[in-house]
């Protein structure tokens, strides 16, 4: 996906997939940004690679055999993208460095009008900071 096409798009909403197991606190495993004219998903693939792809959120589901669930919900305030709802995305800066030749996408910084959010894959988990 050409991330330059996201420049100057307004953020209208953020959806999160939260993994929950037992009584433990849920963990955000994927987010979707609802921008003008496009929805993008930000997450980590099964091979631990960082991914940014166009696409709509999936449905919530339960893994009864494991006692776990994934809830797809409006992102809680703890997701740093939420504080930028209503703002325009100024730019997205990709960070590379993984893989054999150093060309694997490792993360990205999403720069909004009032600040930025860094997203990356760390040990197979999605890490968000803003």
């Amino acid at each position: 996906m050409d991330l330059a096409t996201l420049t100057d798009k307004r953020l209208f909403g953020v959806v999160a997939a939260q993994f929950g197991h037992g009584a433990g606190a849920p963990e955000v495993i994927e987010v979707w940004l609802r921008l003008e004219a496009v929805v993008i998903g930000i997450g980590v693939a099964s091979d631990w690679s960082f991914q940014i792809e166009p696409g709509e959120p999936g449905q919530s589901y339960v893994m009864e055999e494991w006692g776990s669930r994934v809830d797809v919900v409006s992102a809680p305030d703890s997701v740093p993208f939420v504080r930028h709802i209503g703002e325009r995305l100024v730019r997205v800066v990709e960070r590379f460095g993984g893989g054999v030749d150093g060309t694997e996408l490792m993360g990205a910084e999403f720069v909004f009008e009032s600040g930025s959010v860094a997203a990356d894959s760390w040990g197979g988990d999605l890490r968000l900071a803003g």
Side-chain angles (χ1 to χ4, degrees):
M1 161 170 212
D2 180 7
L3 299 180
T5 63
L6 303 177
T7 299
D8 206 37
K9 302 275 192 274
R10 188 172 304 279
L11 178 63
F12 287 113
V14 182
V15 175
Q18 295 183 314
F19 174 81
H21 183 77
E27 172 188 349
V28 173
I29 58 172
E30 190 167 1
V31 296
W32 291 268
L33 304 182
R34 293 195 179 280
L35 298 161
E36 288 175 300
V38 66
V39 177
I40 60 166
I42 302 166
V44 177
S46 60
D47 66 355
W48 292 13
S49 63
F50 181 76
Q51 296 186 329
I52 302 172
E53 299 177 333
E56 291 288 332
Q59 298 291 317
S60 299
Y61 57 93
V62 175
M63 297 171 281
E64 291 180 25
E65 64 277 9
W66 302 104
S68 304
R69 69 191 181 289
V70 173
D71 297 314
V72 178
V73 297
S74 289
D77 290 342
S78 60
V79 173
F81 287 109
V82 170
R83 70 182 67 120
H84 299 290
I85 292 174
E87 295 181 23
R88 293 196 181 278
L89 186 60
V90 176
R91 69 180 171 278
V92 180
V93 180
E94 298 170 293
R95 292 193 323 267
F96 295 91
V100 176
D101 58 1
T103 61
E104 181 180 323
L105 181 62
M106 300 299 294
E109 180 181 12
F110 295 81
V111 180
F112 293 91
E113 295 168 320
S114 70
S116 64
V117 177
D120 61 29
S121 171
W122 183 257
D125 293 330
L126 178 63
R127 186 169 61 174
L128 302 171

